[in-house]
Amino acid sequence: MDSTQLDANFTPYTEVSGEEYMNDEQVAHFRSILGGWRQQLMEEVDRTVHHMQDDAANFPDPNDRATQEEEFTLELRTRDRERKLIKKIEESLQDIDKGDYGYCESCGTEIGIRRLEARPTATLCIDCKTLAEIREKNRV
């Protein structure tokens, strides 16, 4: 699994009929998912740092050196994507603290439990996201 993807080792939230959206149990559920995902990404960063320190070698063969440099470049590019994702996760955790998590930043409607479980950093409901993608596609 790509580390920028959410580890799906969580139990999906079981909604109770008539319960309030983003109640304490739901908030705790998503705080746990986001915190676990952030921890997983931070561990990847640590592994990369150790890997690059431990495996860095000055190979006499230019081909070996080039291979290692390409490997490190790919790894750093992945870590950069993960750094951006960690920032989004931290923004989502801040939204939880402010009471804004789970609501579309464009129209204010509920994003939905299942959508948030699939993409915990989602900030738009499916309708607004679809419209944004259509606009983006038409701009190109």
Side-chain angles (χ1 to χ4, degrees):
M1 177 178 80
D2 180 354
S3 57
T4 58
Q5 295 175 338
L6 176 63
D7 183 2
N9 291 334
F10 66 87
T11 303
Y13 184 81
T14 305
E15 295 179 73
V16 177
S17 179
E19 78 178 317
E20 184 181 339
Y21 182 69
M22 282 300 133
N23 61 38
D24 291 344
E25 291 81 21
Q26 292 174 8
V27 167
H29 175 69
F30 288 108
R31 188 182 301 277
S32 172
I33 290 172
L34 289 161
W37 197 11
R38 180 178 57 184
Q39 181 64 36
Q40 173 189 342
L41 291 168
M42 296 301 284
E43 289 170 4
E44 282 297 317
V45 169
D46 289 344
R47 268 196 288 279
T48 297
V49 169
H50 289 102
H51 167 71
M52 291 179 84
Q53 287 173 341
D54 294 345
D55 291 355
N58 192 5
F59 292 107
D61 180 11
N63 290 324
D64 290 339
R65 245 190 339 267
T67 299
Q68 182 184 48
E69 287 175 17
E70 182 64 23
E71 181 183 305
F72 285 176
T73 298
L74 289 172
E75 211 165 332
L76 289 171
R77 190 175 304 141
T78 300
R79 294 300 90 81
D80 188 52
R81 279 198 325 269
E82 290 171 351
R83 179 187 55 78
K84 292 173 185 170
L85 180 55
I86 289 169
K87 186 175 187 243
K88 281 185 165 186
I89 291 170
E90 289 173 350
E91 289 169 357
S92 294
L93 289 167
Q94 289 171 359
D95 285 347
I96 286 176
D97 293 340
K98 292 186 293 188
D100 294 337
Y101 184 77
Y103 296 93
C104 180
E105 67 182 20
S106 181
C107 70
T109 63
E110 298 174 359
I111 293 175
I113 301 296
R114 297 300 162 238
R115 174 158 166 70
L116 288 170
E117 283 181 334
R119 187 173 224 30
T121 58
T123 58
L124 298 173
C125 67
I126 196 70
D127 292 336
C128 289
K129 182 64 176 172
T130 302
L131 285 172
E133 288 174 354
I134 290 169
R135 283 188 207 110
E136 182 67 28
K137 184 178 160 187
N138 289 335
R139 252 192 282 164
V140 175

